[in-house]
Amino acid sequence: MRVYVPLTLPGLAQAYRAGALGSGPLTAYAVTPGLREWYVSDDIEELEYAALSRAAAASLRLLAADPYAARRRVVIAVDVADRDAVADPDRGLDPSSVGEVRVTGPVPLAKAAAVHADGDDAEDDVSAAADALGAADMGDDDAQFTVDGAEDHELLWYGVQEIPGIIGETGTG
């Protein structure tokens, strides 16, 4: 199963140095029954993109919690065994957890398929979105508009072999 793990650039650097994504369990996003029902599509590419987008939103939340991290969303796509990625059926269509799965154990970076990250041109909008996230969560429409501005930026695709360059560009690696 392909899962999308939200990170920050410092988190990606740490995973690169360790050769694994955390010690588990990890929060990730995948094409789950709940995501299929929420997105209402049978097109697997659209569903995978929806899972990636959910992970990008979770990466933004990580940035909001870490004011020192470079303001670029990062998502790493990893292939894991189906049994290792479990959705919580009790959270089903809870809007905050659509597509969310828990991945058990550490995930070797060797299982990564790709890295998705914001380009430099997104940093101002992502920074503003991270700052506005709390107000958006409280129902502030202007803040939500700012958060949505980050989503206007498509994450760029990088091969796993490009991780040293990604983390080196920010001075975190």
Side-chain angles (χ1 to χ4, degrees):
M1 167 184 282
R2 170 80 36 102
V3 300
Y4 299 90
V5 180
L7 295 171
T8 60
L9 283 171
L12 180 61
Q14 182 179 13
Y16 179 72
R17 286 191 296 275
L21 294 166
S23 58
L26 302 172
T27 298
Y29 294 82
V31 177
T32 62
L35 182 92
R36 286 178 185 276
E37 189 173 334
W38 173 74
Y39 197 75
V40 192
S41 175
D42 289 331
D43 184 321
I44 191 63
E45 288 183 17
E46 287 182 15
L47 291 166
E48 292 281 343
Y49 184 77
L52 171 63
S53 296
R54 300 293 292 173
S59 176
L60 183 64
R61 291 196 174 282
L62 294 173
L63 290 174
D66 183 357
Y68 301 106
R71 301 330 236 178
R72 291 170 62 187
R73 298 167 297 165
V74 176
V75 175
I76 191 159
V78 187
D79 293 317
V80 299
D82 288 355
R83 69 181 177 277
D84 292 337
V86 181
D88 183 347
D90 293 333
R91 293 189 54 164
L93 290 178
D94 174 357
S96 68
S97 66
V98 170
E100 188 177 290
V101 294
R102 296 277 182 239
V103 179
T104 58
V107 176
L109 203 54
K111 292 191 178 260
V115 176
H116 303 272
D118 280 311
D120 293 337
D121 65 327
E123 285 188 32
D124 289 343
D125 288 337
V126 170
S127 181
D131 292 343
L133 198 54
D137 287 346
M138 299 300 291
D140 183 317
D141 290 337
D142 291 335
Q144 187 60 53
F145 182 78
T146 301
V147 170
D148 292 344
E151 294 174 10
D152 291 341
H153 294 275
E154 294 287 328
L155 296 180
L156 304 176
W157 182 96
Y158 296 93
V160 176
Q161 72 278 10
E162 295 179 89
I163 292 175
I166 297 168
I167 59 179
E169 292 173 2
T170 63
T172 60

